[in-house]
Amino acid sequence: MRTEVFMVCPPWDHYRAYKRSAMWLMDNIPRKMMNAKVAFAFIADCLFNMSAPEHVVFIWVPNKFTEECRDYMKRLDYQYHQYYVWLRPKWKLGTTKQVAEYLMVYYKGKEPPKIEFADAFAQPFTGKVKSRDQKPDEAYAMIEARFPYADKLQVYGFTRRHGWDVCHRNLKK
């Protein structure tokens, strides 16, 4: 399968442990660090083994992990293209009702893709979701409108949309 469009929702809270995992010997690596190493290696393997030569990666990033995302994607040799801002509900107690989350766009290939929201989805968009596991339907609709015939794969996803395959769906224990 040669996928042209990926949507990835990595466990960014484990990225710092993943970066430090190279300093440990494999026989005594802590469990949390090993889980982070497995998660980010899985993403890299999916992108390397399942992708077409020219493809686009949409990657969800909470506001505080944008630099980690740029670092990780640069390690994987992707070119940064643009981002979209989603004002999502705040999941934990706090003073604000919305938190910024980014849908960053990276690509491999000769030229960057032309991707735009319709006028109704101006930035920042405020897609509604029922639970913290979901991403807004507006983002999927935008990708499906721009890439109607492309193979689409969500890595670490919860979607059950027509036309999307899910690799390693996060199942609750």
Side-chain angles (χ1 to χ4, degrees):
M1 177 168 104
R2 293 294 176 202
T3 306
E4 299 160 342
V5 177
F6 289 89
M7 183 182 285
V8 185
C9 190
W12 289 114
D13 52 339
H14 298 306
Y15 184 73
R16 290 184 181 118
Y18 166 73
K19 273 181 60 174
R20 291 191 312 270
S21 66
M23 299 183 305
W24 290 76
L25 296 173
M26 285 305 289
D27 60 344
N28 66 349
I29 190 166
R31 182 171 178 82
K32 183 177 179 181
M33 194 172 287
M34 189 62 178
N35 291 343
K37 190 173 180 73
V38 167
F40 284 96
F42 177 76
I43 294 169
D45 288 344
C46 285
L47 294 175
F48 181 75
N49 295 322
M50 301 173 127
S51 63
E54 293 187 12
H55 59 277
V56 179
V57 177
F58 294 87
I59 189 162
W60 287 103
V61 185
N63 189 23
K64 64 183 180 180
F65 294 111
T66 54
E67 290 304 315
E68 284 84 350
C69 177
R70 289 179 189 257
D71 179 52
Y72 179 66
M73 295 305 283
K74 187 176 181 180
R75 286 180 181 209
L76 298 179
D77 198 32
Y78 278 87
Q79 301 294 319
Y80 172 75
H81 179 52
Q82 66 189 70
Y83 67 90
Y84 298 100
V85 179
W86 172 39
L87 295 178
R88 68 164 173 81
K90 188 169 179 87
W91 305 123
K92 295 181 180 177
L93 298 176
T95 56
T96 62
K97 294 182 180 180
Q98 293 180 329
V99 175
E101 191 166 315
Y102 296 93
L103 180 59
M104 299 181 87
V105 182
Y106 288 86
Y107 70 96
K108 271 197 178 172
K110 297 177 184 167
E111 61 183 64
K114 294 181 177 128
I115 307 163
E116 295 179 10
F117 270 121
D119 292 338
F121 301 117
Q123 286 212 44
F125 66 100
T126 54
K128 303 287 185 201
V129 293
K130 293 182 181 178
S131 71
R132 67 181 304 159
D133 299 337
Q134 298 176 326
K135 297 301 178 188
D137 287 334
E138 289 84 353
Y140 290 103
M142 181 265 305
I143 294 169
E144 290 164 357
R146 175 58 184 93
F147 302 99
Y149 303 111
D151 290 326
K152 297 176 235 10
L153 176 68
Q154 185 170 7
V155 180
Y156 285 116
F158 288 94
T159 190
R160 291 183 187 234
R161 291 179 69 93
H162 178 69
W164 286 84
D165 293 319
V166 177
C167 197
H168 194 277
R169 184 172 187 273
N170 296 325
L171 297 173
K172 296 191 181 192
K173 293 181 181 179

